[in-house]
Structures are given as structure tokens and as C-alpha cells.
mmCIF file of all heavy atoms in Angstrom:
data_model
loop_
_atom_site.group_PDB
_atom_site.id
_atom_site.type_symbol
_atom_site.label_atom_id
_atom_site.label_comp_id
_atom_site.label_asym_id
_atom_site.label_seq_id
_atom_site.Cartn_x
_atom_site.Cartn_y
_atom_site.Cartn_z
ATOM 1 N N VAL Y 1 43.647 104.283 -16.622
ATOM 2 C CA VAL Y 1 44.384 103.158 -17.282
ATOM 3 C C VAL Y 1 43.897 101.844 -16.875
ATOM 4 O O VAL Y 1 43.687 100.932 -17.790
ATOM 5 C CB VAL Y 1 45.965 103.366 -16.941
ATOM 6 C CG1 VAL Y 1 46.673 102.128 -17.451
ATOM 7 C CG2 VAL Y 1 46.460 104.559 -17.532
ATOM 8 N N GLU Y 2 43.638 101.715 -15.553
ATOM 9 C CA GLU Y 2 43.159 100.392 -15.051
ATOM 10 C C GLU Y 2 41.792 100.014 -15.752
ATOM 11 O O GLU Y 2 41.699 98.903 -16.260
ATOM 12 C CB GLU Y 2 42.897 100.414 -13.585
ATOM 13 C CG GLU Y 2 42.425 99.141 -12.976
ATOM 14 C CD GLU Y 2 41.810 99.250 -11.602
ATOM 15 O OE1 GLU Y 2 42.109 100.342 -10.939
ATOM 16 O OE2 GLU Y 2 41.167 98.399 -11.120
ATOM 17 N N LYS Y 3 40.829 100.973 -15.770
ATOM 18 C CA LYS Y 3 39.559 100.626 -16.325
ATOM 19 C C LYS Y 3 39.658 100.312 -17.793
ATOM 20 O O LYS Y 3 39.006 99.435 -18.335
ATOM 21 C CB LYS Y 3 38.651 101.790 -16.107
ATOM 22 C CG LYS Y 3 38.142 101.859 -14.615
ATOM 23 C CD LYS Y 3 37.094 103.066 -14.558
ATOM 24 C CE LYS Y 3 36.532 103.114 -13.073
ATOM 25 N NZ LYS Y 3 35.608 104.308 -12.987
ATOM 26 N N GLY Y 4 40.623 101.109 -18.455
ATOM 27 C CA GLY Y 4 40.787 100.911 -19.896
ATOM 28 C C GLY Y 4 41.310 99.542 -20.239
ATOM 29 O O GLY Y 4 40.830 98.866 -21.147
ATOM 30 N N ILE Y 5 42.317 99.050 -19.487
ATOM 31 C CA ILE Y 5 42.862 97.747 -19.722
ATOM 32 C C ILE Y 5 41.862 96.684 -19.431
ATOM 33 O O ILE Y 5 41.684 95.713 -20.160
ATOM 34 C CB ILE Y 5 44.128 97.497 -18.847
ATOM 35 C CG1 ILE Y 5 45.239 98.472 -19.250
ATOM 36 C CG2 ILE Y 5 44.612 96.033 -18.859
ATOM 37 C CD1 ILE Y 5 46.392 98.472 -18.342
ATOM 38 N N LEU Y 6 41.162 96.736 -18.303
ATOM 39 C CA LEU Y 6 40.122 95.708 -18.016
ATOM 40 C C LEU Y 6 38.940 95.672 -18.918
ATOM 41 O O LEU Y 6 38.556 94.673 -19.377
ATOM 42 C CB LEU Y 6 39.624 95.902 -16.541
ATOM 43 C CG LEU Y 6 40.678 95.819 -15.424
ATOM 44 C CD1 LEU Y 6 40.035 96.217 -14.104
ATOM 45 C CD2 LEU Y 6 41.205 94.410 -15.361
ATOM 46 N N ASN Y 7 38.510 96.932 -19.350
ATOM 47 C CA ASN Y 7 37.398 96.982 -20.232
ATOM 48 C C ASN Y 7 37.719 96.496 -21.652
ATOM 49 O O ASN Y 7 36.969 95.811 -22.361
ATOM 50 C CB ASN Y 7 36.785 98.360 -20.252
ATOM 51 C CG ASN Y 7 36.076 98.779 -18.974
ATOM 52 O OD1 ASN Y 7 35.530 97.920 -18.293
ATOM 53 N ND2 ASN Y 7 36.003 100.037 -18.668
ATOM 54 N N TYR Y 8 38.913 96.906 -22.062
ATOM 55 C CA TYR Y 8 39.312 96.459 -23.444
ATOM 56 C C TYR Y 8 39.568 94.993 -23.482
ATOM 57 O O TYR Y 8 39.050 94.307 -24.356
ATOM 58 C CB TYR Y 8 40.659 97.151 -23.858
ATOM 59 C CG TYR Y 8 41.208 96.669 -25.217
ATOM 60 C CD1 TYR Y 8 40.573 96.918 -26.357
ATOM 61 C CD2 TYR Y 8 42.250 95.747 -25.209
ATOM 62 C CE1 TYR Y 8 41.043 96.464 -27.596
ATOM 63 C CE2 TYR Y 8 42.808 95.298 -26.337
ATOM 64 C CZ TYR Y 8 42.126 95.686 -27.587
ATOM 65 O OH TYR Y 8 42.650 95.150 -28.771
ATOM 66 N N SER Y 9 40.140 94.408 -22.390
ATOM 67 C CA SER Y 9 40.420 92.947 -22.330
ATOM 68 C C SER Y 9 39.085 92.187 -22.312
ATOM 69 O O SER Y 9 38.981 91.131 -23.086
ATOM 70 C CB SER Y 9 41.239 92.588 -21.176
ATOM 71 O OG SER Y 9 42.396 93.251 -21.156
ATOM 72 N N GLU Y 10 38.099 92.786 -21.648
ATOM 73 C CA GLU Y 10 36.780 92.121 -21.619
ATOM 74 C C GLU Y 10 36.097 92.206 -22.993
ATOM 75 O O GLU Y 10 35.405 91.231 -23.361
ATOM 76 C CB GLU Y 10 35.895 92.761 -20.538
ATOM 77 C CG GLU Y 10 34.524 92.028 -20.364
ATOM 78 C CD GLU Y 10 33.716 92.640 -19.246
ATOM 79 O OE1 GLU Y 10 34.248 93.633 -18.554
ATOM 80 O OE2 GLU Y 10 32.605 92.231 -19.002
ATOM 81 N N SER Y 11 36.230 93.300 -23.628
ATOM 82 C CA SER Y 11 35.536 93.499 -24.923
ATOM 83 C C SER Y 11 36.038 92.618 -26.037
ATOM 84 O O SER Y 11 35.219 92.304 -26.926
ATOM 85 C CB SER Y 11 35.704 94.960 -25.366
ATOM 86 O OG SER Y 11 37.046 95.259 -25.766
ATOM 87 N N ILE Y 12 37.274 92.241 -25.959
ATOM 88 C CA ILE Y 12 37.819 91.295 -27.014
ATOM 89 C C ILE Y 12 37.849 89.797 -26.412
ATOM 90 O O ILE Y 12 38.449 88.978 -27.097
ATOM 91 C CB ILE Y 12 39.187 91.646 -27.519
ATOM 92 C CG1 ILE Y 12 40.248 91.543 -26.414
ATOM 93 C CG2 ILE Y 12 39.049 93.132 -28.037
ATOM 94 C CD1 ILE Y 12 41.612 91.666 -26.962
ATOM 95 N N MET Y 13 37.310 89.622 -25.227
ATOM 96 C CA MET Y 13 37.322 88.315 -24.621
ATOM 97 C C MET Y 13 38.685 87.690 -24.551
ATOM 98 O O MET Y 13 39.046 86.568 -24.898
ATOM 99 C CB MET Y 13 36.452 87.307 -25.480
ATOM 100 C CG MET Y 13 34.986 87.758 -25.500
ATOM 101 S SD MET Y 13 33.799 86.728 -26.434
ATOM 102 C CE MET Y 13 33.830 85.269 -25.374
ATOM 103 N N ALA Y 14 39.611 88.431 -24.023
ATOM 104 C CA ALA Y 14 41.033 88.086 -23.814
ATOM 105 C C ALA Y 14 41.095 87.034 -22.720
ATOM 106 O O ALA Y 14 40.293 86.925 -21.831
ATOM 107 C CB ALA Y 14 41.915 89.253 -23.457
ATOM 108 N N ASP Y 15 42.153 86.208 -22.771
ATOM 109 C CA ASP Y 15 42.468 85.117 -21.813
ATOM 110 C C ASP Y 15 43.393 85.481 -20.798
ATOM 111 O O ASP Y 15 43.424 84.833 -19.725
ATOM 112 C CB ASP Y 15 42.924 83.865 -22.573
ATOM 113 C CG ASP Y 15 41.918 83.348 -23.693
ATOM 114 O OD1 ASP Y 15 40.798 83.090 -23.348
ATOM 115 O OD2 ASP Y 15 42.374 83.342 -24.776
ATOM 116 N N MET Y 16 44.150 86.515 -21.021
ATOM 117 C CA MET Y 16 45.259 86.934 -20.068
ATOM 118 C C MET Y 16 45.664 88.416 -20.382
ATOM 119 O O MET Y 16 45.480 88.944 -21.517
ATOM 120 C CB MET Y 16 46.449 86.122 -20.255
ATOM 121 C CG MET Y 16 47.605 86.419 -19.327
ATOM 122 S SD MET Y 16 49.026 85.160 -19.477
ATOM 123 C CE MET Y 16 48.369 83.873 -18.439
ATOM 124 N N ILE Y 17 46.097 89.100 -19.299
ATOM 125 C CA ILE Y 17 46.502 90.495 -19.436
ATOM 126 C C ILE Y 17 47.960 90.603 -19.006
ATOM 127 O O ILE Y 17 48.438 90.005 -18.014
ATOM 128 C CB ILE Y 17 45.743 91.433 -18.519
ATOM 129 C CG1 ILE Y 17 44.282 91.504 -18.882
ATOM 130 C CG2 ILE Y 17 46.370 92.824 -18.480
ATOM 131 C CD1 ILE Y 17 43.377 92.313 -17.940
ATOM 132 N N GLY Y 18 48.759 91.167 -19.862
ATOM 133 C CA GLY Y 18 50.239 91.304 -19.605
ATOM 134 C C GLY Y 18 50.562 92.752 -19.273
ATOM 135 O O GLY Y 18 50.095 93.687 -19.964
ATOM 136 N N ILE Y 19 51.305 92.970 -18.202
ATOM 137 C CA ILE Y 19 51.650 94.335 -17.866
ATOM 138 C C ILE Y 19 53.184 94.441 -17.538
ATOM 139 O O ILE Y 19 53.752 93.574 -16.986
ATOM 140 C CB ILE Y 19 50.918 94.919 -16.608
ATOM 141 C CG1 ILE Y 19 51.043 93.968 -15.466
ATOM 142 C CG2 ILE Y 19 49.447 95.096 -16.967
ATOM 143 C CD1 ILE Y 19 50.347 94.534 -14.147
ATOM 144 N N PRO Y 20 53.846 95.583 -17.921
ATOM 145 C CA PRO Y 20 55.226 95.741 -17.571
ATOM 146 C C PRO Y 20 55.468 96.265 -16.212
ATOM 147 O O PRO Y 20 54.557 97.105 -15.662
ATOM 148 C CB PRO Y 20 55.745 96.738 -18.632
ATOM 149 C CG PRO Y 20 54.574 97.563 -18.909
ATOM 150 C CD PRO Y 20 53.337 96.717 -18.711
ATOM 151 N N THR Y 21 56.513 95.893 -15.468
ATOM 152 C CA THR Y 21 56.914 96.555 -14.194
ATOM 153 C C THR Y 21 58.443 96.776 -14.213
ATOM 154 O O THR Y 21 59.201 96.189 -14.905
ATOM 155 C CB THR Y 21 56.593 95.631 -13.017
ATOM 156 O OG1 THR Y 21 57.414 94.494 -13.050
ATOM 157 C CG2 THR Y 21 55.136 95.105 -13.060
ATOM 158 N N HIS Y 22 58.804 97.797 -13.384
ATOM 159 C CA HIS Y 22 60.155 98.155 -13.259
ATOM 160 C C HIS Y 22 60.931 97.387 -12.257
ATOM 161 O O HIS Y 22 61.983 97.702 -11.859
ATOM 162 C CB HIS Y 22 60.229 99.687 -12.852
ATOM 163 C CG HIS Y 22 60.486 100.505 -14.022
ATOM 164 N ND1 HIS Y 22 61.555 100.472 -14.849
ATOM 165 C CD2 HIS Y 22 59.660 101.541 -14.476
ATOM 166 C CE1 HIS Y 22 61.494 101.367 -15.795
ATOM 167 N NE2 HIS Y 22 60.350 102.068 -15.593
ATOM 168 N N GLY Y 23 60.227 96.307 -11.669
ATOM 169 C CA GLY Y 23 60.889 95.423 -10.731
ATOM 170 C C GLY Y 23 61.241 96.183 -9.368
ATOM 171 O O GLY Y 23 60.306 96.900 -8.859
ATOM 172 N N ARG Y 24 62.403 96.174 -8.890
ATOM 173 C CA ARG Y 24 62.783 96.762 -7.585
ATOM 174 C C ARG Y 24 62.697 98.214 -7.566
ATOM 175 O O ARG Y 24 62.649 98.834 -6.540
ATOM 176 C CB ARG Y 24 64.119 96.401 -7.202
ATOM 177 C CG ARG Y 24 64.323 94.834 -6.959
ATOM 178 C CD ARG Y 24 65.761 94.505 -6.587
ATOM 179 N NE ARG Y 24 65.963 93.047 -6.573
ATOM 180 C CZ ARG Y 24 66.137 92.172 -7.499
ATOM 181 N NH1 ARG Y 24 66.234 92.629 -8.673
ATOM 182 N NH2 ARG Y 24 66.346 90.959 -7.251
ATOM 183 N N LYS Y 25 62.621 98.834 -8.703
ATOM 184 C CA LYS Y 25 62.485 100.293 -8.771
ATOM 185 C C LYS Y 25 61.124 100.775 -8.735
ATOM 186 O O LYS Y 25 60.832 101.997 -8.727
ATOM 187 C CB LYS Y 25 63.154 100.732 -10.143
ATOM 188 C CG LYS Y 25 64.619 100.440 -10.264
ATOM 189 C CD LYS Y 25 65.176 100.925 -11.659
ATOM 190 C CE LYS Y 25 66.605 100.529 -11.815
ATOM 191 N NZ LYS Y 25 67.123 100.907 -13.125
ATOM 192 N N GLY Y 26 60.128 99.852 -8.639
ATOM 193 C CA GLY Y 26 58.757 100.220 -8.502
ATOM 194 C C GLY Y 26 58.047 99.985 -9.774
ATOM 195 O O GLY Y 26 58.653 99.704 -10.798
ATOM 196 N N LEU Y 27 56.746 100.220 -9.778
ATOM 197 C CA LEU Y 27 55.928 100.043 -11.063
ATOM 198 C C LEU Y 27 56.417 101.054 -12.070
ATOM 199 O O LEU Y 27 56.856 102.171 -11.792
ATOM 200 C CB LEU Y 27 54.478 100.189 -10.709
ATOM 201 C CG LEU Y 27 53.922 99.098 -9.708
ATOM 202 C CD1 LEU Y 27 52.514 99.481 -9.382
ATOM 203 C CD2 LEU Y 27 54.058 97.776 -10.416
ATOM 204 N N SER Y 28 56.312 100.722 -13.300
ATOM 205 C CA SER Y 28 56.622 101.598 -14.440
ATOM 206 C C SER Y 28 55.900 102.876 -14.403
ATOM 207 O O SER Y 28 54.900 103.087 -13.740
ATOM 208 C CB SER Y 28 56.474 100.868 -15.744
ATOM 209 O OG SER Y 28 55.061 100.938 -16.003
ATOM 210 N N HIS Y 29 56.406 103.847 -15.156
ATOM 211 C CA HIS Y 29 55.782 105.198 -15.171
ATOM 212 C C HIS Y 29 54.391 105.019 -15.703
ATOM 213 O O HIS Y 29 53.430 105.803 -15.156
ATOM 214 C CB HIS Y 29 56.566 106.121 -16.223
ATOM 215 C CG HIS Y 29 55.982 107.415 -16.309
ATOM 216 N ND1 HIS Y 29 56.050 108.380 -15.383
ATOM 217 C CD2 HIS Y 29 55.336 108.004 -17.355
ATOM 218 C CE1 HIS Y 29 55.398 109.469 -15.800
ATOM 219 N NE2 HIS Y 29 54.959 109.238 -17.039
ATOM 220 N N PHE Y 30 54.134 104.133 -16.590
ATOM 221 C CA PHE Y 30 52.759 103.962 -17.092
ATOM 222 C C PHE Y 30 51.825 103.301 -16.015
ATOM 223 O O PHE Y 30 50.635 103.792 -15.974
ATOM 224 C CB PHE Y 30 52.866 103.051 -18.271
ATOM 225 C CG PHE Y 30 51.498 102.780 -18.961
ATOM 226 C CD1 PHE Y 30 50.750 103.948 -19.412
ATOM 227 C CD2 PHE Y 30 50.966 101.526 -19.192
ATOM 228 C CE1 PHE Y 30 49.531 103.753 -20.097
ATOM 229 C CE2 PHE Y 30 49.822 101.344 -19.762
ATOM 230 C CZ PHE Y 30 49.064 102.481 -20.247
#
């Protein structure tokens, strides 16, 4: 997942990456 997000973002020359988190419950299942 990590490589996929970074590689895709680089391939389209993105300016920012957004990710969801579960907050105090820890990182989301994804």
C-alpha cells in the first residue's frame, strides 16, 4: 500500500497526499 500510494502520487506529479486515520483508535484498517 505504501509503495503504491507513493509511486502513484509521483507518477501523476501530485502536490500532496491525503490519508485517513482512526485517531485515538489507531490507524485505519487500510
Side-chain angles (χ1 to χ4, degrees):
V1 172
E2 178 196 346
K3 288 183 178 179
I5 294 173
L6 295 175
N7 289 335
Y8 175 73
S9 300
E10 183 177 357
S11 71
I12 68 167
M13 300 179 68
D15 303 298
M16 178 176 280
I17 297 172
I19 56 175
T21 68
H22 265 298
R24 296 179 183 83
K25 298 179 182 178
L27 297 174
S28 71
H29 178 71
F30 184 55

